[in-house]
């Protein structure tokens, strides 16, 4: 059943779009909130990137000679934390906020005020994280996973210390994400336009729906684990303290029950972005639309039974290792279906290698590589051999940067004209792509041979035989850092002075392309009535019954 239960919301609730002051104030407009998420998370992305460049600067020589080891531990803890909790999650929520109501034909999210409150928790989390540098003893140093008993150490003896602040920030982030998940699931289930059954939804919406279901069943475990660890640190409980009868491995279960599925919370929206972008720039319908949609749900279901593969060396019994090895490998089935569908979509298509398509293709190539190493790591013998080495770091960064961040860049360029009403500079976009693609591979590919040779992660110094690959990785890291400069220049200048964008500059099919650029307040003057599946490239079927006559250019033929 679909309906539009927000007809009664007054347009006066939303100030006119285009007023820049909205982006610095409390707004309930999903489009404003979406951009607030994107800009805020990108600022923290730069902060996390600076931390990464300091780490790579330290690792360019075998000796620890750039920063103190304590500072190094704090840097890599905060790098991982900022990149996950303040970049990838919020930026993807930003895109979901901006696009989901537009794509399903709704005027806003189901709970606009809850949506705004969830966003404003993100700057609070960021401020707490940055403030932890100034508390006695500095920021948390136990890594972004905060395993006890390391995370229970408090050498300064102060009640307010970096680890306590870290846990408080993570708990707030968890509450914000749960609020967002409730909002997204409700919006998608209850507010789709008439005629938009589940198998007429765009695949980005399917991906967001699947990811937010994971949030609902997984996040309470992580939030509970963080609160219990906080109690151990502050009021003397002993849930995870082995010296007082606690069980530190139990924290690993709480942590990974959510934090491995969290990878799918991150990657599923990127899969959705791929599914939106490839048909547009290949001028072909998406291959296997319904199978790809169901694969998203299947990934969400299977993601709940794979977490123990992170704990093969944590005293996990052999029978349990075997079960989780096979469940982890099974994730590759629905994921492989998606990859096959994307390749079949671009195969023999009339490719337009614009910046969004380049970033999407680059991200897909690197995801395939990450998927192969992921299957290797799901195998118990291989995982035990490379456990806690740079091989794992390399695999993880091919997922998080090579796929997720590159996919996010593809999305930013693709929907930039819709969000701002301005066109970006294509030449600067392509320069950004090539610098980022080369930098990513130079940075993270050398980590695989380093890991196979036995170099441990989270160390500030290492044996001299590892130096060559570390120099290559550090040079790649610096290039990757520099690659953001043409992006920032392009976005800022284009938003201020770029050529005005038409409603549908890419000649794409989708409800968001049937409204003005940027979209009007509450999106649609008339709620669309959906009469066909999405991605009808090469077909003559209109997407809607009541809006198509105003936008006949969206019913494209293969000649386009």
């Amino acid at each position: 059943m679909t309906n539009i239960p927000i007809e009664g919301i007054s347009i006066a609730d939303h100030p006119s779009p285009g007023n820049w002051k909205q982006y610095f104030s409390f707004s309930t407009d999903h489009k404003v909130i979406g951009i607030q998420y994107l800009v805020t998370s990108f600022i923290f992305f730069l902060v996390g990137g600076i931390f990464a460049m300091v780490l790579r600067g330290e690792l360019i020589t075998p000796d620890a000679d750039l920063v103190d080891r304590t500072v190094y531990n704090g840097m890599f803890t905060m790098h991982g934390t900022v990149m996950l909790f303040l970049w990838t999650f919020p930026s993807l929520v930003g895109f979901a906020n901006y696009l989901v109501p537009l794509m399903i034909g709704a005027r806003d999210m189901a709970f606009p005020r809850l949506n705004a409150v969830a966003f404003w928790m993100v700057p609070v989390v960021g401020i707490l994280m940055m403030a932890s540098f100034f508390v006695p003893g500095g920021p948390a140093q136990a890594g972004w996973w905060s395993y006890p008993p390391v995370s229970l150490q408090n050498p300064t003896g102060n009640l307010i210390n970096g680890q306590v602040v870290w846990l408080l920030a993570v708990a707030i982030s968890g509450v914000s994400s749960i609020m967002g998940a409730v909002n997204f699931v409700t919006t998608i289930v209850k507010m789709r336009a008439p005629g938009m059954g589940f198998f007429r939804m765009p695949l980005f919406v399917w991906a967001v729906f699947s990811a937010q279901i994971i949030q609902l069943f997984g996040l309470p475990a992580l939030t509970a684990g963080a609160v219990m660890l906080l109690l151990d640190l502050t009021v003397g409980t002993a849930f995870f303290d082995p010296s007082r009868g606690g069980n530190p491995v139990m924290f690993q279960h709480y942590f990974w029950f959510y934090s491995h599925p969290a990878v799918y919370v991150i990657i599923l929206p990127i899969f959705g972005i791929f599914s939106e972008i490839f048909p547009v720039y290949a001028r072909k319908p998406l291959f296997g639309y319904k199978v790809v949609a169901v694969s998203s749900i299947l990934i969400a279901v299977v993601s709940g039974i794979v977490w123990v593969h992170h704990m093969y060396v944590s005293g996990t019994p052999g029978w349990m290792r075997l079960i989780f090895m096979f469940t982890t490998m099974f994730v590759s089935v629905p994921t492989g279906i998606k990859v096959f569908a994307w390749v079949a979509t671009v195969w023999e298509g009339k490719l337009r290698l614009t910046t969004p398509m380049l970033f999407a293709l680059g991200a897909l190539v690197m995801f395939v590589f990450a998927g192969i190493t992921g299957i290797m790591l799901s195998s118990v013998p291989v995982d035990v051999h490379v456990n806690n080495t740079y091989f794992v770091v390399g695999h993880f960064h091919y997922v998080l940067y090579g796929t997720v961040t590159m996919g996010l860049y593809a999305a930013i360029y693709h929907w930039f004209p819709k969000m701002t009403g301005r066109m970006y500079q294509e030449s600067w976009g392509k320069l950004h792509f090539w610098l980022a693609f080369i930098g990513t591979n130079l940075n993270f590919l050398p980590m695989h041979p380093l890991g196979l040779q036995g170099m441990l992660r989270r160390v500030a110094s290492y044996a001299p035989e590892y130096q060559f690959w570390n120099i290559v990785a550090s040079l790649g890291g610096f290039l990757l850092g520099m690659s953001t400069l043409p992006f920032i220049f392009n976005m800022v200048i284009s938003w201020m002075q770029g050529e005005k964008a038409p409603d549908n500059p890419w000649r794409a099919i989708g409800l968001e392309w049937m409204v003005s650029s940027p979209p009007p307040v509450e999106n649609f003057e008339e709620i669309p009535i959906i009469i066909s599946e999405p991605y009808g490239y090469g077909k003559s079927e209109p997407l809607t019954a009541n809006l198509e006559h105003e936008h006949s250019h969206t019913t494209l033929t293969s000649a386009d």
Side-chain angles (χ1 to χ4, degrees), residues 33-349:
I33 294 172
I35 292 177
Q36 286 176 329
Y37 266 112
L38 289 171
V39 173
T40 303
S41 60
F42 187 75
I43 291 170
F44 284 111
F45 173 64
L46 295 178
V47 173
I50 291 170
F51 292 161
M53 293 177 75
V54 172
L55 298 178
R56 288 313 321 175
E58 176 62 80
L59 292 171
I60 206 166
T61 58
D63 297 324
D65 48 13
L66 181 61
V67 294
D68 182 80
R69 291 179 188 274
T70 303
V71 175
Y72 183 89
N73 288 341
M75 281 276 183
F76 82 69
T77 298
M78 296 307 292
H79 164 71
T81 304
V82 167
M83 287 302 197
L84 282 168
F85 295 110
L86 292 169
W87 162 237
T88 51
F89 285 113
S91 58
L92 291 165
V93 170
F95 270 112
N97 252 294
Y98 196 95
L99 294 173
V100 166
L102 281 166
M103 285 182 162
I104 65 173
R107 289 199 167 104
D108 207 324
M109 297 286 285
F111 310 112
R113 288 179 177 80
L114 186 71
N115 198 24
V117 171
F119 162 71
W120 283 105
M121 288 183 174
V122 175
V124 173
V125 172
I127 290 170
L128 283 173
M129 290 288 184
M130 296 304 107
S132 70
F133 279 92
F134 303 101
V135 300
Q141 300 174 35
W144 71 273
W145 49 90
S146 282
Y147 279 1
V150 174
S151 56
L152 291 175
Q153 296 175 354
N154 182 13
T156 65
N158 289 290
L159 178 62
I160 305 300
N161 57 68
Q163 192 63 53
V164 166
V165 176
W166 187 95
L167 286 165
L168 183 62
V170 168
I172 294 173
S173 176
V175 173
S176 168
S177 296
I178 292 171
M179 292 163 66
V182 170
N183 213 349
F184 281 118
V185 171
T186 306
T187 302
I188 293 169
V189 171
K190 300 297 292 182
M191 297 178 65
R192 284 171 284 120
M196 182 176 279
F198 276 101
F199 286 110
R200 284 181 177 172
M201 287 196 311
L203 285 169
F204 180 77
V205 181
W206 269 100
V208 170
F209 183 62
S210 305
Q212 296 304 320
I213 288 175
I214 296 174
Q215 295 279 64
L216 286 178
F217 75 69
L219 257 172
L222 175 66
T223 306
V227 171
M228 291 164 73
L229 192 59
L230 187 62
L231 292 175
D232 276 9
L233 265 171
T234 55
V235 301
T237 58
F239 295 112
F240 308 123
D241 187 349
S243 66
R244 293 189 293 146
N247 185 353
V249 175
M250 184 57 68
F251 177 81
Q252 295 186 28
H253 283 284
Y254 280 117
F255 182 82
W256 288 115
F257 181 78
Y258 169 70
S259 295
H260 186 80
V263 174
Y264 305 108
V265 174
I266 294 169
I267 204 74
L268 276 169
I270 298 300
F271 289 170
I273 289 167
F274 288 168
S275 297
E276 298 300 323
I277 287 179
F278 288 139
V280 174
Y281 298 98
R283 316 311 298 167
K284 287 175 62 183
L286 188 94
F287 185 88
Y289 160 72
K290 291 183 179 177
V291 178
V292 175
V294 172
S295 296
S296 295
I297 292 293
L298 191 56
I299 290 172
V301 172
V302 179
S303 73
I305 50 174
V306 298
W307 79 96
V308 175
H309 78 245
H310 289 276
M311 302 166 59
Y312 286 157
V313 296
S314 300
T316 304
W319 63 268
M320 190 179 286
R321 285 175 168 184
L322 197 62
I323 291 174
F324 280 89
M325 181 176 75
F326 285 119
T327 56
T328 304
M329 288 181 173
F330 182 73
V331 177
S332 63
V333 175
T335 307
I337 289 172
K338 286 176 176 285
V339 172
F340 178 79
W342 298 324
V343 172
T345 300
V346 301
W347 189 263
E348 295 189 342

Side-chain angles (χ1 to χ4, degrees), residues 16 28 52 63 82 113 122 131 163 173 225 250 301 327 349 362 368 377 390 400 447 449 457 477 503 513 515 544 559:
S16 173
T28 55
D63 297 324
V82 167
R113 288 179 177 80
V122 175
Q163 192 63 53
S173 176
M250 184 57 68
V301 172
T327 56
V368 170
L377 287 170
Y390 259 89
L400 265 293
M447 294 179 181
R457 57 179 172 175
D503 295 352
W513 302 107
V515 297
T544 70

